[in-house]
Amino acid sequence: MTLISEAALAADTGLQWNHRFATLGPAFYTRLQPTPLPEPYWVGRSEGLARELGLDAGWFASAEALEVFTGNELLAGSDPLASVYSGHQFGVWAGQLGDGRAILLGETRSGWELQLKGAGLTPYSRMGDGRAVLRSSIREFLCSEAMHALGIPTTRALCVTGSDARVRREEIETAAVVTRAAPSFIRFGHFEHFAANGRDAELRTLADHVIDHFYPACRTTSRFDGNAYAALLEAVSERTAALLAQWQAIGFCHGVMNTDNMSILGLTIDYGPFQFLDGFDPRHICNHSDTAGRYAFNQQPNVAYWNLHCLAQALLPLIGDQEIALAALASYRTVFPDAFEARMRAKLGLADSAPADRVLIEDALKLLAKEKVDYTIFWRRLSACVADGNPEPVRDLFLDRAGLDAWLLSFSERRAQTPSELAAGLMRRTNPKFVLRNHLGQQAIESALQKDFSGVATLLRLLESPFEEHAGHEAFAGFPPDWASTIEISCSS
Ligand code: AMP
Ligand code: MG
């Protein structure tokens, strides 16, 4: 590794550092280096995120960048570490976890933390190997950027690199590294960790860090008699409620909503066995390991609320009063339904709200559920119907035509005041044509396993502007093939 000065390196890469998490002190992490992987190759790269990070485009395409984002070379000025956290997994206290395969390179001056996922063993790897396999890395990369383009808060993904180094899962697979970016990767589980160990001083340091950098308004709140930690809990509850409203409206199933996979910033984090619904089934379970359906699609809002109770329990030593903590959680119960209804109203092209909207939305979802109608195609066809006045493509999706016609009538009566062009425009910007369905990811993965990465690049391009038509790419917007329902995605990644 050549040693270049930090200033010279910034000129090359465009990156300058400012490590705020590292200032928390050694109780929060272990400093360590990524473990190299042999002969890396590019699997996917997000030019869009590179621009947002201020990365030099020429450098990002370089052989040095490939080594850096595989963990084989370290940029001067980075300060790699793995953080410790704990958490509840599938409703049970799991004790200490931590970044078992993610290594934080540091934070850029523009406030982006960069993390290599799959970059080798850490003190928190437990029984794991510190690696990530190609298939799940491609899924995380594509879905992070897809969610961002859909306007859903998420950690981002800059690139994926691969190596032929062997990784043992159910079968032998190959290794990959995803470079993730987010303002912070702090999870509910970070708070639970220090609370469970009775380390109130560290708990306070962590909460102060999060408030100062991400929720400064909590310092000056008049709510809860100026209790900044209660205000933090309320703000996190509200962001989480808004996130869940987005997931439920777009038809996104996370699959592993353990408290260690809940972002303190209300971001979608840790993409594992996630799925965008094909046919609308509220009880859909996307995680093959989730036999009890704890994280079924329709359970997600309640699970998030349960997880927030774990966060409240962890913050209790700082908040000081259980009643105040419960009061700080309460707004979830109004913010979630209100935000969900607002998202669904946008899907319906309604620019204003009316008391009967809730029933209109519920009736639509009941009709979809009854016949497991394709969720994404329904909304896109409904958008086209509002634009051109032709209901037939929507009607074609249903056997119960009478039921649908009755609903379409109430819908057209409801939107009588809104000009169709206005409604259709809103619907086209809200109802995507392209989502990362399992079978699309699977096809890109299978090509990538043969070293053809064009499928990853094509999907990325479509998912980066999912509301556009992308003529010539109809196959990516069609019904899933029969084999899609046989894809089994588990926690193994
Ligand atoms: P996840 O279900 O992917 O969110 O992971 C749960 C915990 O297991 C986290 O602490 C991860 O860092 C850790 N983990 C998952 N897979 C591995 C692996 N292959 N090697 C080391 N740690 C892992
Ligand atoms: Mg996780």
Side-chain angles (χ1 to χ4, degrees):
M1 197 182 303
T2 31
L3 269 184
I4 344 177
S5 81
E6 212 176 314
L9 209 93
D12 276 355
T13 60
L15 284 181
Q16 287 184 295
W17 301 102
N18 171 36
H19 308 297
R20 291 186 295 183
F21 187 83
T23 63
L24 291 176
F28 294 84
Y29 54 80
T30 303
R31 285 202 163 91
L32 79 179
Q33 309 268 315
T35 309
L37 280 168
E39 296 173 41
Y41 41 85
W42 290 113
V43 174
R45 297 156 76 252
S46 165
E47 309 283 352
L49 179 55
R51 272 193 298 277
E52 284 181 58
L53 293 172
L55 265 190
D56 180 85
W59 181 80
F60 186 39
S62 72
E64 183 179 70
L66 174 61
E67 299 295 336
V68 164
F69 294 124
T70 308
N72 293 353
E73 281 189 27
L74 262 190
L75 292 177
S78 63
D79 185 9
L81 59 84
S83 77
V84 63
Y85 53 80
S86 295
H88 285 82
Q89 299 187 318
F90 290 89
V92 178
W93 177 244
Q96 184 186 305
L97 305 164
D99 293 326
R101 52 177 171 169
I103 295 181
L104 183 69
L105 292 180
E107 182 184 350
T108 70
R109 274 206 199 148
S110 51
W112 286 98
E113 286 189 346
L114 294 182
Q115 203 184 54
L116 301 182
K117 181 170 177 180
L121 288 171
T122 79
Y124 317 111
S125 300
R126 298 177 298 150
M127 308 300 284
D129 57 8
R131 292 301 180 192
V133 296
L134 182 67
R135 61 181 159 82
S136 45
S137 304
I138 289 175
R139 281 167 53 85
E140 171 144 25
F141 170 67
L142 290 174
C143 201
S144 306
E145 294 309 281
M147 292 292 260
H148 172 70
L150 291 167
I152 302 177
T154 178
T155 61
R156 302 288 302 276
L158 177 66
C159 55
V160 188
T161 71
S163 160
D164 288 344
R166 289 150 66 92
V167 176
R168 181 179 293 277
R169 293 292 178 263
E170 282 78 7
E171 297 169 3
I172 300 290
E173 303 189 40
T174 59
V177 177
V178 188
T179 301
R180 305 199 288 195
S184 169
F185 289 95
I186 295 175
R187 301 140 192 273
F188 291 9
H190 281 96
F191 290 88
E192 290 179 279
H193 179 75
F194 295 102
N197 291 299
R199 296 170 70 171
D200 289 4
E202 285 88 354
L203 185 65
R204 188 178 299 275
T205 301
L206 183 65
D208 287 342
H209 170 86
V210 169
I211 290 172
D212 291 342
H213 297 307
F214 305 108
Y215 293 94
C218 294
R219 284 271 177 250
T220 50
T221 184
S222 55
R223 293 190 55 67
F224 312 111
D225 290 330
N227 185 326
Y229 304 110
L232 173 65
L233 179 59
E234 182 171 67
V236 175
S237 300
E238 292 179 359
R239 280 209 204 171
T240 305
L243 177 69
L244 267 289
Q246 297 250 36
W247 286 3
Q248 299 310 111
I250 203 79
F252 176 80
C253 206
H254 180 282
V256 204
M257 290 177 66
N258 295 332
T259 58
D260 53 301
N261 290 340
M262 297 291 293
S263 152
I264 202 72
L265 301 185
L267 308 173
T268 314
I269 192 170
D270 280 11
Y271 292 89
F274 69 83
Q275 188 178 3
F276 286 86
L277 297 182
D278 291 321
F280 183 68
D281 175 5
R283 287 179 302 197
H284 184 70
I285 303 164
C286 64
N287 179 353
H288 194 65
S289 319
D290 182 13
T291 42
R294 179 180 172 84
Y295 299 136
F297 177 69
N298 63 0
Q299 296 303 305
Q300 298 189 121
N302 282 338
V303 169
Y305 192 47
W306 190 93
N307 289 342
L308 283 161
H309 280 78
C310 293
L311 179 64
Q313 182 72 44
L315 288 172
L316 203 51
L318 305 181
I319 294 173
D321 181 310
Q322 188 170 332
E323 291 308 311
I324 297 177
L326 288 172
L329 289 172
S331 61
Y332 185 90
R333 304 225 303 265
T334 50
V335 174
F336 171 74
D338 288 353
F340 178 66
E341 206 177 296
R343 297 306 309 160
M344 296 307 286
R345 247 189 260 111
K347 291 180 85 64
L348 290 163
L350 302 172
D352 57 357
S353 76
D357 289 349
R358 192 157 287 188
V359 175
L360 189 69
I361 294 163
E362 280 170 8
D363 286 350
L365 295 178
K366 274 188 213 147
L367 277 172
L368 291 170
K370 196 165 75 176
E371 299 182 31
K372 293 198 172 65
V373 171
D374 191 277
Y375 191 68
T376 303
I377 291 178
F378 167 77
W379 289 106
R380 194 68 182 183
R381 287 197 186 178
L382 191 68
S383 316
C385 163
V386 167
D388 64 17
N390 175 13
E392 291 313 319
V394 178
R395 296 183 82 238
D396 284 346
L397 296 170
F398 292 83
L399 291 173
D400 177 9
R401 299 277 164 93
L404 177 73
D405 287 344
W407 183 84
L408 283 174
L409 187 64
S410 346
F411 177 44
S412 70
E413 283 167 6
R414 167 63 181 89
R415 60 187 188 78
Q417 316 305 329
T418 319
S420 290
E421 315 81 76
L422 205 78
L426 175 58
M427 291 174 85
R428 284 228 187 80
R429 291 191 305 277
T430 311
N431 299 311
K433 181 167 178 179
F434 301 96
V435 293
L436 180 56
R437 295 178 189 259
N438 268 352
H439 76 277
L440 296 175
Q442 196 60 34
Q443 284 163 339
I445 289 163
E446 274 157 28
S447 307
L449 288 167
Q450 307 303 319
K451 299 271 169 31
D452 171 3
F453 304 113
S454 61
V456 174
T458 304
L459 258 185
L460 178 65
R461 197 159 50 77
L462 299 175
L463 296 170
E464 278 176 338
S465 48
F467 303 108
E468 304 295 324
E469 289 299 328
H470 294 284
H473 290 87
E474 300 309 318
F476 294 84
F479 292 100
D482 287 344
W483 60 265
S485 61
T486 66
I487 300 173
E488 288 176 356
I489 297 178
S490 70
C491 284
S492 155
S493 62

